[in-house]
Amino acid sequence: MFDVFGSVKGLLKLDQVCIDNNIFRLHYKATVVILIAFSLLVTSRQYIGDPIDCIVDEIPLNVMDTYCWIYSTFTIPNRLTGIAGKDIAQPGVSSHVEGDEVKYHKYYQWVCFVLFFQAMLFYVPRYLWKTWEAGRIKMLVLDLNMPVVNDECKDERKKILVDYFIENINSHNFYAIRFFICEVLNFINVLGQIYFMDFFLDGEFSTYGSDVVQFTEMEPEERGDPMARVFPKVTKCTFHKYGPSGSVQKFDGLCVLPLNIVNEKIYVFLWFWFIILTILTGASLVYRFAVIFMPKIRLYLLRARSRLSDIVDIETISSKCQLGDWFILYQLGKNIDPLIYKEVLNDLSERLQGKEMVEQP
């Protein structure tokens, strides 16, 4: 098992310099790791066995397995409920008459590829942000995230950082806007992924998790297992071939899909994970819009980040800085040692007050 997930452990490594936030990391770290791990799991024969095993008379088993894997298997939706061994052979598996609906299951061959594709989509906003950010926060940190720094070196680096802000004040709005765009992309992506999986599973994913919860609360004789409907463990497969007289012969076989034991659990987990991620991302966007349109919230957040008792200093910085400048300062507060960060803000406040006095006639 460790061999399967060992290849994704590198994605869990924390960056030395933080350029985003916790909700952002849930998308490109947690979700990407989950999807890649699931993709690897469904391809691991050593834990699951053959993805399909079919039973039919007169047809070699390996031929039947290959045929049914390629051309898909089917179940009968109106035969999902009943007593196994009496009314039906297995949920969805029974003799059917003309007019019965037949549901073909063609997706299970693609599950591993789809999960990996989804992981790549979740990483796209992170890739865009890393490209646009271009290492600016790391450059500005200047190793001030180390708790022990030589005083002379610390003073020099603090001066460089404050000089940068004085010279480039009110020029960081586009930097912040691009980060906000990536946050919106995260929200659009997770919503789009829910609709995509619903399409992939023939409209079953949107209510899959809630159906499973309801199923566990129903009486055994009344309930139809939604997991058996979406990911049947036993299905039927029809094989046609020419007989000795040249007529077409039809062979019905039963196919066991052990892979669906894993698939059904994977998609139950993903349903709940995506719902939670959507809610958290939506809440973060509400917070972001409040930060953009309410300067007082930016003042409060900067004060909380700096932990300074001198409110006038923070108000001076907040009044002189635009949204982009505030965003840079807030990001630096996540990375610079708290004591050094206080000193940087104090120095910046004094420089801004001195600049204002010089500019006054």
Side-chain angles (χ1 to χ4, degrees):
M1 186 65 72
F2 289 105
D3 294 338
V4 176
F5 301 110
S7 57
V8 299
K9 64 181 180 181
L11 296 173
L12 297 173
K13 183 177 66 175
L14 296 177
D15 300 324
Q16 290 184 345
V17 175
C18 175
I19 61 173
D20 40 53
N21 54 45
N22 291 330
I23 301 298
F24 210 115
R25 284 191 287 274
L26 284 179
H27 286 261
Y28 75 84
K29 276 193 180 295
T31 307
V32 169
V33 168
I34 288 169
L35 290 171
I36 292 179
F38 284 160
S39 178
L40 292 173
L41 182 61
V42 299
T43 59
S44 300
R45 282 194 171 191
Q46 56 183 323
Y47 303 112
I48 301 168
D50 293 332
I52 187 170
D53 287 302
C54 295
I55 306 169
V56 67
D57 295 332
E58 300 185 28
I59 304 296
L61 295 182
N62 61 333
V63 174
M64 193 66 180
D65 290 350
T66 304
Y67 174 84
C68 295
W69 179 256
I70 294 173
Y71 289 100
S72 76
T73 60
F74 65 90
T75 54
I76 305 167
N78 61 4
R79 299 288 195 277
L80 285 170
T81 56
I83 301 175
K86 180 179 179 182
D87 303 322
I88 55 176
Q90 293 290 335
V93 177
S94 177
S95 59
H96 62 286
V97 297
E98 186 177 352
D100 281 343
E101 180 187 357
V102 174
K103 183 175 183 180
Y104 286 90
H105 304 278
K106 304 176 182 179
Y107 51 79
Y108 48 76
Q109 305 100 320
W110 298 96
V111 167
C112 63
F113 302 107
V114 168
L115 290 173
F116 188 77
F117 175 67
Q118 289 179 273
M120 290 192 296
L121 289 180
F122 269 99
Y123 197 79
V124 168
R126 163 68 173 181
Y127 177 78
L128 285 176
W129 174 233
K130 282 189 70 175
T131 303
W132 287 339
E133 203 271 339
R136 180 175 299 190
I137 295 297
K138 184 176 181 179
M139 176 192 69
L140 293 175
V141 168
L142 295 169
D143 292 331
L144 293 176
N145 53 345
M146 304 297 180
V148 180
V149 183
N150 179 275
D151 287 341
E152 183 178 348
C153 180
K154 179 183 71 173
D155 293 339
E156 180 183 354
R157 290 175 179 177
K158 284 195 305 179
K159 184 178 183 304
I160 293 173
L161 183 54
V162 173
D163 288 344
Y164 168 84
F165 266 96
I166 296 298
E167 294 172 5
N168 297 277
I169 196 167
N170 300 336
S171 64
H172 301 106
N173 286 342
F174 191 49
Y175 176 90
I177 288 172
R178 285 185 290 190
F179 179 75
F180 303 155
I181 289 173
C182 290
E183 288 187 309
V184 174
L185 286 178
N186 280 331
F187 185 69
I188 293 173
N189 177 64
V190 70
L191 279 181
Q193 296 267 13
I194 292 174
Y195 285 105
F196 170 72
M197 284 196 287
D198 195 48
F199 169 77
F200 178 61
L201 298 178
D202 294 329
E204 298 282 2
F205 183 76
S206 58
T207 59
Y208 183 56
S210 58
D211 289 345
V212 171
V213 172
Q214 292 176 5
F215 162 74
T216 59
E217 298 174 350
M218 295 173 63
E219 294 298 328
E221 60 272 8
E222 298 176 357
R223 60 191 187 185
D225 189 351
M227 292 186 286
R229 183 178 70 244
V230 183
F231 297 103
K233 271 72 75 179
V234 180
T235 57
K236 294 185 69 176
C237 180
T238 302
F239 186 88
H240 296 90
K241 76 169 188 174
Y242 285 105
S245 63
S247 60
V248 176
Q249 293 181 323
K250 176 182 175 181
F251 296 88
D252 268 350
L254 287 181
C255 294
V256 180
L257 302 173
L259 190 60
N260 275 349
I261 298 175
V262 177
N263 287 336
E264 65 181 14
K265 276 60 171 195
I266 286 175
Y267 280 93
V268 167
F269 177 86
L270 289 180
W271 189 87
F272 285 102
W273 178 257
F274 278 31
I275 294 297
I276 293 171
L277 189 60
T278 301
I279 294 171
L280 292 176
T281 308
S284 73
L285 285 183
V286 172
Y287 156 79
R288 185 60 66 197
F289 283 119
V291 167
I292 293 173
F293 296 108
M294 301 177 68
K296 286 186 178 180
I297 292 181
R298 300 201 293 268
L299 172 63
Y300 171 78
L301 290 172
L302 193 61
R303 186 185 302 163
R305 174 64 63 184
S306 63
R307 303 180 181 89
L308 285 174
S309 59
D310 189 351
I311 299 176
V312 178
D313 286 343
I314 298 298
E315 288 181 341
T316 299
I317 295 172
S318 182
S319 64
K320 296 299 180 182
C321 293
Q322 295 181 355
L323 176 63
D325 305 313
W326 169 86
F327 181 70
I328 291 280
L329 286 172
Y330 192 76
Q331 292 293 88
L332 287 174
K334 298 178 182 179
N335 295 284
I336 295 179
D337 180 75
L339 294 176
I340 299 176
Y341 185 62
K342 291 181 183 181
E343 296 174 8
V344 169
L345 288 186
N346 272 327
D347 292 348
L348 179 60
S349 175
E350 292 174 1
R351 290 284 297 276
L352 288 173
Q353 289 175 347
K355 181 179 179 182
E356 182 181 10
M357 294 178 62
V358 170
E359 291 177 350
Q360 288 178 352

